[in-house]
C-alpha cells in the first residue's frame, strides 16, 4: 500500500484519471454494487479518441456475437440510455450519454485498487498488489477506454460490468501487452519484426469474440497496430462444403461447417504468412471474411470486395477459434466418444501446420462442462425470440450444438492438461470461467 499512498498523495491529473472508480465491499470475490465518483476527476477535460463515425459497427459486432451464442448479458443496463449521435468505428459513444438511476457517491481511487486486487487473474499474469499500485494509472486509463467502447455509464457500473472490465479484460490485455513486449525484445531485426500472433482457444458462446474485440481496441488506442482473424474466416466456400458433405455421406459432424475438414487450410496458410510479412509502412493486405447468412444459413466466403484492408507495420494478430490448439488423439479415444469423429480426427492432423505453428502466445479459456456451450446458445436464442427476432427452437439448438460436442469431449481434456499443440508454457495463459462467462480461481 505504500506505493499507492504515495500515488494518492500526489496532485490529481485530470487527463489520466477516469471519472468513475468502483467501490468494493468484497464478498466471495465479488464487490458491492456501488460505483462512486472520484473528486479529482474531470471527464470533460480528459483526452478522448478523435475519430468519430456512426456506431453501426459496434452494434453489428454485438449482434453477431449474440447470434453465435456468446451473448453479452454483462452489458445490460438498469438505467435509461439516450440516443447516441456519434461514435467511432468501435462504437464508443460520447461520455455521459447514459444516465444512472441513482446518484453517484464519492470515494477514492483506493476502492478501485482493492477491487482490482480481488480479481482471480492477478497471480496468473504475475502481478502483485504492489505492481497494481505502481500501474494504477494504466488501469484507470484502460478502464475508461473500455467504458467508452461498450458505452457503459462511467458513473454507475453494475457488478457484472466491473468484474468484466477490471477482473477480466484489463488483466488479459496487460498479459498480452507483456507478450508483445517480450516478442519485440527477442527479435533479431528490430525494424523488421513480424507481428506476434496470439491464439485464443475458447468454446463457442463463452464471449471470446467480445474479449478479442476489446483487446484489439485497447491495442489500437495505446499505439499498437493489431488485426483480428477467426477460424471462421477460413471456412470452405459453399461449393467446397458441398463436396465435403458428398464425400462423407451420413456423417453429421461434416454435414455443415465447423469441425476439422471444413476449413480452407491453404487460405489460412496464405493469410497468416502474409500477415507475418506486414512489417513496413505502406504495406497492405485484405483479411478474408465469411458470410454465415449466405445460402439460407449454410454460409459462403464473403466477396473479396467486402474484406477489410489493413496496413503495416503490424504489431499483433489476435487469432480466435473454438478448436484452436486441438490435436489428434488415439483412435480408441475417438471411437469411445463418437465413431463419426474418426474422419475429423484424421483431418485434424493437418491443422498444426496450417494454424498452430504460427501462434507464439496462447490464451486458453477453460470451462468445467461442455454442456455450457448448449446452455449459452440456448440463452442467446431464447433472448432473440423474446425480442421478436428469428431464433432457433430449443430442439434446433440441441441439434446444432450436438455437432460440436463430440470434438469438445474428445479434445478438451488434452488441451487443458497439455496445452495447445506446440505451445510454450511460458507463453500460455489459461483462464477458467464460470457459467456467467467470468474468470474464476481455477486449478
Amino acid at each position: 500500500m505504500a506505493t499507492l499512498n504515495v500515488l494518492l498523495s500526489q496532485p490529481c491529473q485530470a487527463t489520466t484519471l477516469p471519472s468513475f472508480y468502483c467501490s468494493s465491499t468484497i464478498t466471495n470475490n465479488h464487490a458491492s454494487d456501488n460505483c462512486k465518483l472520484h473528486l479529482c476527476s474531470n471527464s470533460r477535460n480528459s483526452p478522448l479518441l478523435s475519430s468519430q463515425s456512426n456506431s453501426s459497427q459496434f452494434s453489428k459486432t454485438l449482434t453477431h456475437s449474440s447470434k453465435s451464442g456468446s451473448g453479452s448479458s454483462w452489458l445490460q443496463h438498469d438505467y435509461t440510455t439516450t440516443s447516441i449521435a456519434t461514435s467511432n468505428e468501435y462504437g464508443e459513444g460520447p461520455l455521459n450519454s447514459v444516465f444512472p438511476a441513482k446518484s453517484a457517491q464519492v470515494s477514492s481511487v483506493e476502492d478501485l485498487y482493492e477491487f482490482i486486487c480481488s480479481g482471480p487473474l492477478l497471480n496468473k499474469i504475475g502481478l502483485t498488489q504492489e505492481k497494481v499500485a505502481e500501474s494504477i494509472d494504466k488501469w484507470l486509463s484502460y478502464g475508461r477506454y473500455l467504458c467508452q467502447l461498450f458505452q457503459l455509464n462511467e458513473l454507475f457500473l453494475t457488478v457484472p460490468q466491473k468484474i468484466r472490465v477490471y477482473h477480466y479484460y484489463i488483466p488479459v490485455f496487460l498479459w498480452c501487452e507483456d507478450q508483445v513486449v517480450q516478442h519485440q525484445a527477442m527479435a533479431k531485426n528490430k525494424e523488421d519484426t513480424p507481428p506476434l500472433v496470439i491464439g485464443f482457444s475458447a468454446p463457442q458462446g463463452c464471449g471470446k469474440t467480445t474479449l478479442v474485440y476489446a483487446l484489439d481496441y485497447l491495442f489500437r488506442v495505446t499505439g499498437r497496430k493489431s488485426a483480428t482473424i477467426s477460424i471462421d474466416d477460413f471456412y470452405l466456400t459453399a461449393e467446397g462444403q458441398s463436396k465435403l458433405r458428398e464425400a462423407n455421406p451420413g456423417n453429421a459432424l461434416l454435414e455443415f461447417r465447423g469441425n476439422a475438414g471444413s476449413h480452407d487450410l491453404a487460405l489460412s496458410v496464405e493469410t497468416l504468412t502474409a500477415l507475418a510479412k506486414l512489417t513496413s509502412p505502406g504495406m497492405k493486405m485484405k483479411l478474408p471474411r465469411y458470410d454465415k447468412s449466405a445460402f439460407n444459413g449454410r454460409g459462403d466466403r464473403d466477396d473479396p470486395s467486402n474484406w477489410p484492408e489493413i496496413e503495416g507495420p503490424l504489431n499483433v494478430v489476435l487469432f480466435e477459434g473454438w478448436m484452436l490448439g486441438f490435436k489428434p488423439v488415439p483412435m480408441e479415444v475417438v471411437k469411445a466418444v463418437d465413431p463419426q469423429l474418426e474422419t475429423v480426427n484424421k483431418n485434424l492432423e493437418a491443422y498444426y501446420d496450417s494454424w498452430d505453428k504460427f501462434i507464439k502466445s496462447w490464451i486458453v479459456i477453460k470451462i468445467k462442462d461442455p454442456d455450457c456451450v448448449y446452455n449459452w446458445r440456448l440463452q442467446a436464442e431464447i433472448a432473440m425470440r423474446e425480442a421478436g427476432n428469428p431464433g432457433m427452437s430449443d430442439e434446433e439448438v440441441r441439434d446444432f450444438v450436438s455437432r460440436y460436442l463430440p470434438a469438445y469431449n474428445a479434445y478438451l481434456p488434452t488441451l487443458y492438461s497439455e496445452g495447445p499443440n506446440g505451445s510454450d508454457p511460458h507463453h500460455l495463459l489459461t483462464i477458467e470461467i464460470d457459467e456467467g462467462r467470468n474468470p474464476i480461481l481455477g486449478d
Side-chain angles (χ1 to χ4, degrees):
M1 291 292 292
T3 305
L4 184 63
N5 289 334
V6 171
L7 184 151
L8 289 173
S9 67
Q10 297 174 347
C12 293
Q13 300 295 322
T15 57
T16 58
L17 300 180
S19 60
F20 71 92
Y21 302 109
C22 300
S23 173
S24 58
T25 302
I26 307 301
T27 305
N28 295 329
N29 287 328
H30 292 287
S32 67
D33 197 12
N34 293 326
C35 196
K36 303 181 179 181
L37 179 67
H38 189 276
L39 287 173
C40 295
S41 68
N42 186 342
S43 63
R44 300 292 184 182
N45 297 327
S46 298
L48 301 178
L49 301 177
S50 58
S51 176
Q52 300 289 322
S53 63
N54 63 60
S55 60
S56 61
Q57 182 61 40
F58 175 76
S59 300
K60 180 179 179 181
T61 299
L62 292 187
T63 300
H64 176 271
S65 179
S66 296
K67 288 182 178 179
S68 66
S70 65
S72 296
S73 59
W74 64 278
L75 282 174
Q76 300 303 313
H77 306 305
D78 55 358
Y79 38 71
T80 302
T81 304
T82 63
S83 60
I84 297 174
T86 58
S87 65
N88 76 8
E89 62 175 320
Y90 289 90
E92 75 275 18
L95 295 179
N96 303 318
S97 59
V98 183
F99 297 95
K102 60 183 180 181
S103 300
Q105 300 175 10
V106 177
S107 184
S108 74
V109 71
E110 277 193 59
D111 294 317
L112 179 58
Y113 167 79
E114 292 173 4
F115 182 79
I116 292 170
C117 291
S118 72
L121 296 184
L122 289 192
N123 288 337
K124 281 183 171 289
I125 65 173
L127 283 185
T128 62
Q129 292 187 7
E130 289 74 19
K131 289 182 178 180
V132 171
E134 292 170 359
S135 62
I136 194 66
D137 281 345
K138 263 192 174 184
W139 289 84
L140 301 178
S141 178
Y142 295 165
R144 181 187 187 114
Y145 284 135
L146 290 177
C147 282
Q148 188 173 1
L149 172 65
F150 292 114
Q151 300 181 6
L152 300 179
N153 188 303
E154 57 179 337
L155 303 181
F156 183 77
L157 293 183
T158 65
V159 168
Q161 291 165 358
K162 289 187 287 188
I163 291 173
R164 193 59 61 95
V165 170
Y166 292 104
H167 285 182
Y168 196 1
Y169 290 171
I170 295 179
V172 172
F173 178 69
L174 291 173
W175 185 85
C176 291
E177 197 176 37
D178 182 63
Q179 293 293 303
V180 172
V181 171
Q182 291 185 46
H183 173 73
Q184 293 175 338
M186 294 173 60
K188 295 180 180 179
N189 187 345
K190 304 299 183 182
E191 296 182 357
D192 198 28
T193 304
L196 172 68
V197 181
I198 304 178
F200 295 77
S201 181
Q204 296 150 305
C206 75
K208 65 180 177 297
T209 300
T210 310
L211 169 64
V212 169
Y213 183 68
L215 298 177
D216 177 54
Y217 178 69
L218 286 176
F219 271 121
R220 289 170 182 263
V221 298
T222 54
R224 289 189 172 94
K225 283 194 175 182
S226 59
T228 63
I229 53 174
S230 166
I231 63 173
D232 294 358
D233 298 326
F234 303 127
Y235 280 134
L236 294 170
T237 62
E239 181 182 0
Q241 289 178 36
S242 179
K243 291 180 180 179
L244 177 68
R245 190 161 48 248
E246 292 172 359
N248 297 274
N251 191 328
L253 303 184
L254 294 172
E255 184 177 357
F256 300 106
R257 65 181 184 269
N259 282 293
S262 65
H263 300 88
D264 186 337
L265 298 185
L267 176 63
S268 65
V269 170
E270 178 185 341
T271 301
L272 290 164
T273 300
L275 283 169
K277 297 177 180 179
L278 208 64
T279 59
S280 301
M283 297 180 66
K284 298 179 180 180
M285 67 172 288
K286 286 193 170 186
L287 295 176
R289 289 295 185 256
Y290 190 82
D291 181 4
K292 293 182 179 180
S293 66
F295 292 95
N296 295 318
R298 285 190 176 271
D300 195 7
R301 187 167 302 151
D302 202 359
D303 189 286
S305 63
N306 295 326
W307 294 3
E309 184 177 72
I310 56 172
E311 181 177 349
L314 206 59
N315 302 120
V316 58
V317 175
L318 308 178
F319 185 16
E320 57 101 344
W322 72 276
M323 54 171 283
L324 273 183
F326 284 11
K327 47 191 171 186
V329 296
M331 197 57 68
E332 58 267 23
V333 174
V334 168
K335 290 180 178 180
V337 173
D338 188 334
Q340 295 183 107
L341 203 60
E342 290 186 44
T343 303
V344 173
N345 194 60
K346 185 176 181 180
N347 292 338
L348 196 56
E349 294 175 358
Y351 276 63
Y352 172 78
D353 286 333
S354 302
W355 289 356
D356 299 347
K357 78 173 185 180
F358 291 92
I359 299 172
K360 303 306 178 185
S361 296
W362 285 90
I363 292 178
V364 173
I365 309 298
K366 180 179 179 181
I367 57 176
K368 288 185 177 294
D369 188 345
D371 283 343
C372 285
V373 175
Y374 167 75
N375 294 331
W376 288 330
R377 184 63 189 236
L378 184 62
Q379 291 169 8
E381 295 299 328
I382 290 175
M384 289 175 66
R385 298 201 302 262
E386 290 179 345
N389 299 316
M392 289 189 290
S393 67
D394 293 4
E395 189 55 40
E396 287 173 330
V397 172
R398 189 173 298 279
D399 177 69
F400 175 83
V401 175
S402 70
R403 303 173 190 274
Y404 296 90
L405 284 180
Y408 285 130
N409 290 326
Y411 303 118
L412 284 183
T414 303
L415 175 70
Y416 294 161
S417 63
E418 300 178 4
N421 199 352
S423 63
D424 181 343
H426 295 99
H427 301 282
L428 168 63
L429 176 63
T430 300
I431 303 169
E432 187 168 342
I433 62 173
D434 58 21
E435 291 186 3
R437 307 179 182 90
N438 291 313
I440 59 176
L441 289 172
D443 297 333

